[in-house]
Amino acid sequence: MKKLSLILCGGLAIATTLFSCNKGEEKASTASSSSAAISVDGKKVVFVNTDSLLTNYQFYKDAQKEFENKGYRLQVDLGQRERALQTEGAAIQQRAQAMTQAELQAADMMLRKKAGELQQYSQQKQASLAQEQAKKQEELYTNIREYIKKHNAENKYEFVLGYSSNGGGILYADNAVDVTQQIIDGLNKEYAEKKGAAKK
């Protein structure tokens, strides 16, 4: 879902603090995996291309596909329920001339009640899906934050900046200090291991 993509991308910037993420072009990182940090006033600085990070992180791709499927199934379910209610309403209209005023009022009240229940059902299902998305989003942030902490234990970077090709806080980034591919490779390796362990 586009909404999921925007939510995950927007939340990524807030959750990681060091990331600035705008939905953008899907560009793979061209820098080598052995990028060296640059020093600014003695501080080691590298950056991660947040567009590439989301585009290539398998956890994110799986989550996006999962919620697209859930959203589609919810739309189908709601569509079927709405059509069933419309069919019921049409059947009552066809019988309307043969019905008494009291029967028509009762049928109208019943249809209104069912329409209200359908609206409530729709809101509950959408809220439930949004809660699932928020939980998955938080898991995404946690995975990225925790992996960067582990990755940084060896490298001792003082700043890991987020860069997006479509703008954000960093207007230019030298590919020599791009560690995006290292982060993607590490995240995907960890995710594959967790996914494999969960299947056992």
Side-chain angles (χ1 to χ4, degrees):
M1 284 179 158
K2 285 183 183 174
K3 186 177 177 186
L4 172 66
S5 178
L6 291 172
I7 288 170
L8 289 174
C9 191
L12 179 60
I14 295 166
T16 61
T17 309
L18 298 172
F19 282 70
S20 168
C21 178
N22 291 322
K23 188 175 181 192
E25 298 170 9
E26 297 181 0
K27 286 188 177 179
S29 172
T30 56
S32 70
S33 62
S34 60
S35 298
I38 61 167
S39 287
V40 177
D41 291 334
K43 306 287 187 188
K44 289 172 73 177
V45 180
V46 293
F47 79 91
V48 173
N49 184 312
T50 53
D51 300 327
S52 294
L53 180 64
L54 291 180
T55 300
N56 294 294
Y57 184 20
Q58 193 60 46
F59 176 89
Y60 174 78
K61 292 194 278 189
D62 288 351
Q64 200 172 30
K65 187 176 179 181
E66 175 187 348
F67 286 105
E68 282 173 2
N69 290 337
K70 285 184 177 184
Y72 174 75
R73 286 195 302 270
L74 179 58
Q75 284 178 349
V76 168
D77 178 36
L78 293 173
Q80 288 172 341
R81 289 170 185 266
E82 189 176 340
R83 283 190 295 280
L85 189 60
Q86 287 171 348
T87 300
E88 199 172 340
I92 290 170
Q93 281 184 339
Q94 286 179 342
R95 297 191 320 263
Q97 290 182 346
M99 296 170 78
T100 66
Q101 188 65 30
E103 288 172 333
L104 278 171
Q105 286 178 343
D108 182 56
M109 283 179 63
M110 186 235 352
L111 283 175
R112 287 175 189 267
K113 183 182 176 201
K114 286 187 176 182
E117 288 169 351
L118 178 59
Q119 185 176 10
Q120 189 176 13
Y121 174 82
S122 172
Q123 289 170 348
Q124 287 172 343
K125 289 293 183 182
Q126 289 177 18
S128 175
L129 188 60
Q131 285 176 345
E132 277 187 68
Q133 286 177 326
K135 189 175 176 185
K136 189 65 80 170
Q137 181 180 348
E138 185 54 40
E139 192 178 346
L140 171 72
Y141 308 150
T142 301
N143 291 351
I144 292 169
R145 273 194 312 263
E146 293 304 313
Y147 182 76
I148 289 176
K149 280 183 196 172
K150 279 190 259 182
H151 181 75
N152 202 33
E154 299 170 19
N155 298 292
K156 307 289 185 207
Y157 303 132
E158 274 125 337
F159 294 99
V160 179
L161 306 174
Y163 171 76
S164 173
S165 59
N166 278 359
I170 300 173
L171 301 178
Y172 171 78
D174 185 340
N175 283 339
V177 292
D178 184 355
V179 295
T180 308
Q181 198 57 51
Q182 291 176 3
I183 301 297
I184 291 168
D185 291 345
L187 282 166
N188 283 334
K189 183 180 176 191
E190 265 192 1
Y191 177 59
E193 287 168 2
K194 286 179 188 174
K195 204 171 172 183
K199 287 183 180 178
K200 291 181 182 178

